[in-house]
Each structure stands twice: as C-alpha cells, then as structure tokens.
Amino acid sequence: MPGIHCPAPPDWRSSVPAARILAGVPLALVILALSGCSSLWDCTDTTAERGEAAVSVQVEDLSGRPLGVTAEVVDWRLEPHPHVPSEGDQVHFRYRFDGAGETSGPAVDACAVDKGRVALGCRTVHSSEAFGPDGALTGDDYLAVEHPEQVAEVLLIPNDQSYQGRTCEQDIKDGGGPHPPEPAGAGDQL
C-alpha cells in the first residue's frame, strides 16, 4: 500500500529465545492489522463464469468484457491423425482468430459436441500457435474422442484461457485474483 511501511517478518533463525518471540506475536498481529499490512496476506481467488459456446465467439477477458478478438471454427471433419492413423478417426478442425497478435494473444477451449451439446472431447487452442497475415490467424488441431460418429459440431468457449495465474492454494502471498473457468472437458454440457 502506498505510504504504509510494513515490517519484514522476523528472522526465525535469530538467537532470540522462542518464548520472547511468542510473547510478542499477539501485539505484532494487532499492529499489522491496524496498519493495514494484514491485507497483504489476504488471498482471494475468483473464477469467471463460463461463457456461451458457439461456432464463432467474441473472446472475453476474466471479467467478461470482449477483447476485440473473434475466434471461429472454420470447418471440421472426421479423419485419422496422420501421425497415429491406427487409432482411427479423430476430429480434425480448423480455427481462426481475427484481431489477435501474432506472438501473444488469447486462447479458447474447443470442444467436439454431440447433438445435445455435451462435450465429447476438448482442448485449448492458442492464437499464438496459429499463423496468417493481418491479424487473421488460422490453425488446425485434432480431438480424439471415444465415439467420433457422435460428433455433431465443434464449438468454442469464449473465455480467454491464456492467463491462469497462481491460486491462493499455490501461493498465499502472491496468488489470488481472477481466474478463467476450469477448462471444459468430456461430459460438460455446453
């Protein structure tokens, strides 16, 4: 916080007897709380709501605002993956990001769904892995699904998945804040 100086935590390896340190702990906590320094250790995670999946979406930031980037499934078909043809048909889909930067940009979940819009398989596609001129970046990928014959379409979820950030559980001091929704997976209703 500007204008407030928070004291550094004590060095527990010092030669100060443990009883003296423990006796001062309640007073130190009161001082930190009154000074506003305790808020530095408050850690709160928030998770964005999953947006509406569609063939073409406006990519949204963590607060649900459009980023000025459109992601679209250009086409898809069932065919064996060229590197593992023995595994049978997979969902080969092409996608495009319009308005994204070439080296960094958003990422969205792509899901093959059945007629009831239940996800059969999903993966995150990154605009930085696509290529093309003037901000129209195209790429392609494969989705392995258990029953490819059930695939009705491939949908994109608009939430930007490119920045995950550290959670409070991972880092109580520097974690927390907004996070994208959990990546979509097989069985999710979209």
Side-chain angles (χ1 to χ4, degrees):
M1 297 177 99
I4 295 177
H5 173 70
C6 296
D11 182 359
W12 297 107
R13 295 167 289 178
S14 69
S15 61
V16 177
R20 284 186 62 195
I21 291 174
L22 291 175
V25 167
L27 179 60
L29 292 175
V30 169
I31 290 170
L32 286 173
L34 292 175
S35 70
C37 293
S38 65
S39 64
L40 294 177
W41 297 98
D42 285 344
C43 190
T44 304
D45 287 313
T46 57
T47 303
E49 291 290 322
R50 183 177 288 166
E52 181 70 28
V55 172
S56 180
V57 296
Q58 291 290 320
V59 183
E60 301 172 354
D61 67 11
L62 295 174
S63 63
R65 291 186 304 251
L67 292 175
V69 175
T70 301
E72 177 183 10
V73 175
V74 177
D75 66 18
W76 68 273
R77 63 188 171 278
L78 296 178
E79 66 183 24
H81 191 290
H83 297 158
V84 285
S86 62
E87 292 182 5
D89 281 345
Q90 295 187 16
V91 182
H92 183 200
F93 66 101
R94 288 188 326 117
Y95 58 90
R96 179 175 56 231
F97 285 91
D98 287 316
E102 288 185 34
T103 57
S104 66
V108 296
D109 287 339
C111 297
V113 299
D114 65 12
K115 290 180 182 177
R117 294 178 58 111
V118 174
L120 302 171
C122 300
R123 76 174 329 110
T124 302
V125 293
H126 298 261
S127 62
S128 60
E129 295 172 355
F131 55 91
D134 304 322
L137 307 174
T138 59
D140 72 312
D141 214 330
Y142 287 83
L143 287 165
V145 298
E146 191 170 336
H147 298 286
E149 70 281 358
Q150 293 179 359
V151 176
E153 60 185 333
V154 177
L155 302 177
L156 300 175
I157 300 172
N159 306 89
D160 181 14
Q161 293 283 344
S162 64
Y163 175 75
Q164 297 294 329
R166 298 188 58 77
T167 64
C168 294
E169 185 176 293
Q170 294 168 324
D171 187 343
I172 189 74
K173 182 176 172 237
D174 296 322
H179 302 283
E182 286 294 316
D188 287 357
Q189 178 69 50
L190 302 181

